[in-house]
């Protein structure tokens, strides 16, 4: 299992950190990680963050120190975005959140597959609700650009959640594609949500679209992208997890992330860029572990990349490692 990018030496996480975390079940290890992030540790040094103006960029009008972001799902309550940002991410997406608190699905609802460097989750979007998240954001300092992911189905709920958290965020990401959200993500509905949300905030709204493999799926995702653009979205995040059947989940199904998505993500980015005529910036998300993975997505037309499963498998230095690798180009 590769644990480094290029010739970078193995760090503490590669030697024993991963083994310690993986000795616990996935949810417990996640809770331990979040608890550790609450400690006043030197997170910038731990993350080996690299600051270089050569990698500064802008997406949807949001200035970023570098194009490597943390995807939604890791910090569902938006309580640890400051230490996560200090690890070296150019931006961090908190949530996904909803207007009202959600407990999520019954356990078991997450599983790892180390051979594939992948995760399947059927979490069901557990979160403390928009008011609690706004309180957390108000109490925490910014260490990087912070975004919030929203996933309410009803227009009134989505707009109410937006009104609560948008003043405390640099961008909003509408999760219009989670296999665990519990509602059908149709293009017309996504367009209606974006159009209703757009006049209520000055911060940009990005729409997270589902993955596709078949021509029919591609047409559906392109329709969502076009509806998002017409509604006033600032860009897209491509893509969410891949829906899979998995008997380990209490629901019998979940969303696949990590290694199996690495090769397909640049292809999807390229297809979406072509289909939209390059009119919407794209945040690539899915199976990004190394600087080479990030380069493939950027070369395909992405403006930024987002990491999630790579943080689980490669540890807190992943952002610094990818950024350093991009600088060698």
């Amino acid at each position: 299992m590769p644990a480094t990018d290029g010739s970078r030496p193995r760090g503490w996480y590669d030697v024993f950190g991963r083994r310690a975390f993986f000795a616990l079940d996935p949810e417990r290890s996640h809770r331990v990680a979040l608890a550790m992030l609450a400690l006043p540790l030197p997170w910038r040094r731990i993350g080996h963050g690299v600051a270089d103006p050569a990698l500064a960029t802008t997406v949807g009008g949001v200035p970023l120190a570098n194009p490597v972001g943390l995807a939604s799902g890791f910090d569902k309550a938006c309580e640890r975005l400051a230490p996560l940002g200090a690890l070296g991410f150019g931006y961090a997406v908190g949530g996904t959140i909803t207007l009202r608190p959600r407990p999520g699905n019954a356990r078991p609802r997450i599983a790892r597959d180390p051979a594939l460097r992948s995760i399947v989750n059927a979490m069901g979007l557990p979160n403390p609700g928009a008011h609690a998240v706004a309180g957390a954001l108000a109490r925490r300092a910014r260490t990087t650009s912070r975004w919030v992911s929203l996933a309410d189905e009803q227009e009134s709920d989505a707009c109410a959640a937006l009104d609560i958290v948008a003043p405390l965020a640099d961008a909003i990401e509408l999760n219009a594609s989670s296999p665990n959200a519990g509602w059908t993500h149709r293009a017309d509905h996504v367009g209606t949500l974006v159009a209703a949300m757009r006049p209520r905030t000055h911060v940009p709204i990005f729409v997270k679209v589902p993955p596709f493999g078949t021509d029919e799926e591609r047409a559906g995702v392109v329709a969502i992208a076009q509806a998002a653009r017409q509604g006033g979205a600032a860009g897209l995040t491509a893509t969410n997890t891949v829906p899979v059947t998995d008997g380990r989940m209490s629901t019998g199904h979940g969303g696949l992330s990590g290694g199996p998505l690495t090769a397909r993500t640049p292809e999807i980015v390229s297809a979406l860029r072509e289909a939209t005529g390059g009119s919407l910036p794209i945040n690539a998300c899915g199976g990004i572990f190394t600087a080479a993975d990030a380069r493939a997505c950027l070369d395909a037309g992405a403006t930024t990349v987002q990491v999630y499963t790579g943080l689980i498998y490669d540890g807190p230095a992943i952002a610094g490692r990818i950024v350093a690798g991009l600088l060698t180009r």
Side-chain angles (χ1 to χ4, degrees), residues 179-201:
N180 303 307
W183 53 282
T184 302
H185 305 286
R186 305 183 318 272
D188 59 342
H189 183 48
V190 171
T192 297
L193 284 179
V194 176
M197 295 165 69
R198 180 62 276 163
R200 304 176 77 98
T201 181

Side-chain angles (χ1 to χ4, degrees), residues 291-317:
D293 299 335
R295 285 192 198 106
C297 293
L298 297 173
D299 289 345
T303 302
T304 80
V305 299
Q306 294 183 2
V307 174
Y308 178 82
T309 305
L311 178 62
I312 307 300
Y313 279 95
D314 288 351

Side-chain angles (χ1 to χ4, degrees), residues 107-123:
R107 300 177 185 178
R109 53 188 184 177
I110 187 168
R112 313 181 191 100
D113 190 338
L116 296 175
R117 288 165 65 81
S118 68
I119 293 173
V120 172
N121 95 83
M123 297 294 287

Side-chain angles (χ1 to χ4, degrees), residues 40-298:
L41 298 178
W43 295 111
R44 292 191 186 278
R45 200 183 324 158
I46 290 170
H48 300 291
V50 178
D52 193 307
L55 283 182
T57 189
T58 301
V59 60
V62 181
L64 306 174
N66 68 67
V68 182
L70 174 66
S72 64
F74 191 88
D75 185 4
K76 295 175 173 59
C78 299
E79 293 180 335
R80 304 289 183 261
L81 295 182
L84 287 166
L87 292 176
F89 289 102
Y91 64 103
V93 187
T96 294
I97 74 164
T98 49
L99 176 61
R100 300 171 189 84
R102 289 180 57 151
N105 294 324
R107 300 177 185 178
R109 53 188 184 177
I110 187 168
R112 313 181 191 100
D113 190 338
L116 296 175
R117 288 165 65 81
S118 68
I119 293 173
V120 172
N121 95 83
M123 297 294 287
L125 306 183
N127 75 93
H131 285 288
V133 165
L137 292 173
R139 293 189 300 270
R140 269 68 177 185
R142 279 180 170 86
T143 59
T144 190
S145 180
R146 63 185 189 188
W147 303 10
V148 177
S149 172
L150 305 181
D152 278 302
E153 175 180 12
Q154 298 299 323
E155 180 181 321
S156 58
D157 289 349
C159 289
L162 176 79
D163 291 345
I164 294 167
V165 301
L168 299 161
D170 297 314
I172 296 295
E173 189 175 80
L174 177 62
N175 187 342
S177 50
S178 172
N180 303 307
W183 53 282
T184 302
H185 305 286
R186 305 183 318 272
D188 59 342
H189 183 48
V190 171
T192 297
L193 284 179
V194 176
M197 295 165 69
R198 180 62 276 163
R200 304 176 77 98
T201 181
H202 69 279
V203 305
I205 298 172
F206 296 87
V207 174
K208 192 168 189 176
V209 300
F212 55 83
T214 67
D215 290 342
E216 181 179 3
E217 290 170 343
R218 173 177 174 169
V221 174
V222 169
I224 290 175
Q226 292 172 339
R229 178 178 58 185
Q230 292 168 1
L236 307 173
T237 297
T239 64
N240 217 310
T241 56
V242 176
V244 293
T245 300
D246 194 315
R248 296 173 294 178
M249 305 294 101
S250 65
T251 58
H253 58 84
L256 174 70
S257 64
L261 282 64
T262 302
R264 68 192 297 180
T265 298
E267 298 173 357
I268 290 175
V269 167
S270 179
L272 280 175
R273 184 167 178 81
E274 179 182 0
T276 60
S279 60
L280 291 175
I282 299 173
N283 309 305
C285 183
I288 295 168
F289 291 86
T290 69
D293 299 335
R295 285 192 198 106
C297 293
L298 297 173

